[in-house]
Amino acid sequence: MNTSSGSGLESTNHPSDGPLPYGYTPAVAQHFEDHPMPAATGRGRVVRVDRNLLLVAAGADLLHLPYPLSGKPAVTGDWVWIGPNRAGERQILSVLPRRSELSRERAFEASSEAQVLAANMDTVGVVVPVDRPLTHNRLERTLVAAWDSGATPLVIITKADLADVADDVVGKVILQAAGVDVVTTSAETGDGIDQLLAHIPAGGTIVLLGPSGAGKSTLINALVGRDIQDTGEVRSGDFRGRHTTTSRELVPLANGTVLMDTPGVRGFGLFDAEDGIGEMFGDVEALAAGCRFSDCSHQGEPGCAVQEALATGVLEERRWHNYLKLQRELAALARRSDAAAQRAYQREWHQKVVAAGKSQRWAERETAERKERPGRKRR
């Protein structure tokens, strides 16, 4: 495959051409037709986002192109129209609407904006290694984001050759990820690789998510059939691995599947993931809908289906608290992005403080009145 700087139009693609190795299917071709760009001379896909340039697959070429001058920023996986600028050099004219988008709240920022991690993937592979304790809350949180992306989530268990712990981890994951397919793999032995590929649609794109040291790079090497990713050791003390992947990049496979590797994600702050929560916690929301009162706070009201499920063990207390935590997180994000919601939230808390103050004063007055009632012995 040729790589060029994009400084010229000597290998300009006909508008009907697209980068076949990078997931250009008839459905994608129709997506371009539905969003025409008259000045465009080529169709491309963002393979990698570098600091100053974008690596874009266009036909049989890999081009280094500048960022679009207007519109939304491009991310790995975006489909783009390419055309000439005034100097005759190639540039990105527009980014097509995304068919799916994996986002999270920006890490370490008090921001209401999303950080888009990947675009136009068909499958989100949540990588779970068996050589470390299973973090249930993290798995649920990641699956919520996967559901909300518009793609299909898939749990990929790695390092299954560690047979002494694999069965236990697999059983727990299947119970927790109800409704999500689970594939068990071993990059060392090649087990499960064909089953994994069978879950990805023809010409589809899968993005792999997981913490550092989860075995994503080793799994990619097994899928590609050769070493294209560095691998690193995992510390035995805290199970953390070295970040062997430093950027999000598309990796084409011989069968037409496209992999998107990502750096290890330690935190996954949710962003506008109501749909994902509904998919992942549908059982919890169904319980809440069965309460006697429609405005039940699930704090002890009579006829509370949630409290009954907790008391009988139907609903796991850890799962309930994680659901509440994710809901609070989304509510806080909504308040940051909505000034009216922020004011309403402040009024609500002000009313609670005032009510609490009145209650306290009423209690003090009632106590004093009881002491002053006839028949009570004063001291």
Side-chain angles (χ1 to χ4, degrees), residues 351-366:
Q351 291 168 359
K352 288 182 178 180
V353 170
V354 171
K358 289 180 178 178
S359 298
Q360 179 64 25
R361 290 194 296 273
W362 179 86
E364 292 172 352
R365 184 167 59 250
E366 179 70 13

Side-chain angles (χ1 to χ4, degrees), residues 182-199:
V182 179
V183 178
T184 303
T185 67
S186 170
E188 295 294 331
T189 64
D191 292 340
I193 300 300
D194 291 339
Q195 291 89 329
L196 169 56
L197 290 173
H199 280 81

Side-chain angles (χ1 to χ4, degrees), residues 39-362:
T41 55
R43 308 177 182 199
R45 192 176 195 188
V46 178
V47 174
R48 189 180 66 237
V49 177
D50 294 328
R51 180 169 298 180
N52 299 317
L53 294 171
L54 300 174
L55 183 64
V56 179
D61 295 335
L62 283 175
L63 313 173
H64 286 101
L65 300 178
Y67 284 76
L69 297 178
S70 60
K72 61 187 176 186
V75 302
T76 301
D78 269 329
W79 293 103
V80 296
W81 278 114
I82 301 171
N85 59 18
R86 293 180 179 179
E89 297 176 341
R90 276 179 284 194
Q91 65 173 347
I92 295 175
L93 299 180
S94 69
V95 178
L96 268 65
R98 293 162 182 159
R99 298 179 298 161
S100 60
E101 178 182 289
L102 181 66
S103 304
R104 70 170 179 176
E105 184 184 0
R106 290 189 176 276
F108 312 116
E109 292 183 20
S111 171
S112 60
E113 295 182 359
Q115 178 188 15
V116 182
L117 302 178
N120 298 313
M121 61 280 164
D122 302 279
T123 306
V124 177
V126 181
V127 180
V128 178
V130 302
D131 63 342
R132 68 184 69 182
L134 178 64
T135 306
H136 297 278
N137 290 358
R138 180 194 180 97
L139 177 58
E140 287 176 346
R141 175 182 291 266
T142 307
L143 286 173
V144 166
W147 276 118
D148 200 64
S149 70
T152 301
L154 173 68
V155 176
I156 304 171
I157 296 178
T158 58
K159 309 181 183 182
D161 48 289
L162 303 175
D164 55 334
V165 293
D167 291 343
D168 182 52
V169 173
V170 172
K172 290 178 179 178
V173 169
I174 290 175
L175 286 175
Q176 188 173 354
V180 179
D181 288 336
V182 179
V183 178
T184 303
T185 67
S186 170
E188 295 294 331
T189 64
D191 292 340
I193 300 300
D194 291 339
Q195 291 89 329
L196 169 56
L197 290 173
H199 280 81
I200 308 170
T205 299
I206 178 173
V207 58
L208 299 180
L209 290 179
S212 300
K216 298 191 305 299
S217 296
T218 305
L219 178 61
I220 286 180
N221 289 339
L223 290 167
V224 175
R226 55 190 173 86
D227 291 345
I228 64 168
Q229 299 281 346
D230 292 333
T231 58
E233 297 295 328
V234 178
R235 296 198 300 255
S236 59
D238 56 11
F239 297 98
R240 288 182 178 176
R242 180 170 56 87
H243 286 275
T244 55
T245 303
T246 58
S247 64
R248 299 172 186 89
E249 182 171 358
L250 299 182
V251 181
L253 301 184
N255 67 347
T257 300
V258 183
L259 289 170
M260 186 185 303
D261 192 14
T262 62
V265 179
R266 291 180 181 173
F268 216 108
L270 297 183
F271 183 85
D272 192 21
E274 286 291 349
D275 292 341
I277 286 183
E279 291 284 355
M280 190 61 201
F281 290 92
D283 58 328
V284 178
E285 296 189 343
L287 282 172
C291 293
R292 180 185 301 177
F293 303 108
S294 59
D295 60 346
C296 183
S297 66
H298 318 299
Q299 297 295 321
E301 293 94 331
C304 177
V306 171
Q307 290 300 322
E308 180 181 353
L310 289 170
T312 58
V314 173
L315 176 60
E316 186 183 3
E317 189 167 349
R318 178 209 59 78
R319 181 169 168 79
W320 168 243
H321 287 307
N322 195 35
Y323 171 77
L324 293 178
K325 181 179 179 181
L326 297 179
Q327 288 286 13
R328 288 195 299 269
E329 190 173 313
L330 291 180
L333 179 66
R335 289 195 299 272
R336 290 205 300 271
S337 59
D338 188 337
Q342 177 68 28
R343 290 193 295 270
Y345 176 75
Q346 291 172 345
R347 285 196 302 271
E348 178 185 351
W349 272 104
H350 176 71
Q351 291 168 359
K352 288 182 178 180
V353 170
V354 171
K358 289 180 178 178
S359 298
Q360 179 64 25
R361 290 194 296 273
W362 179 86

Side-chain angles (χ1 to χ4, degrees), residues 365-378:
R365 184 167 59 250
E366 179 70 13
T367 301
E369 289 176 354
R370 282 202 306 267
K371 290 181 179 180
E372 296 296 329
R373 288 171 188 162
R376 290 189 64 87
K377 185 177 181 180
R378 297 185 181 181

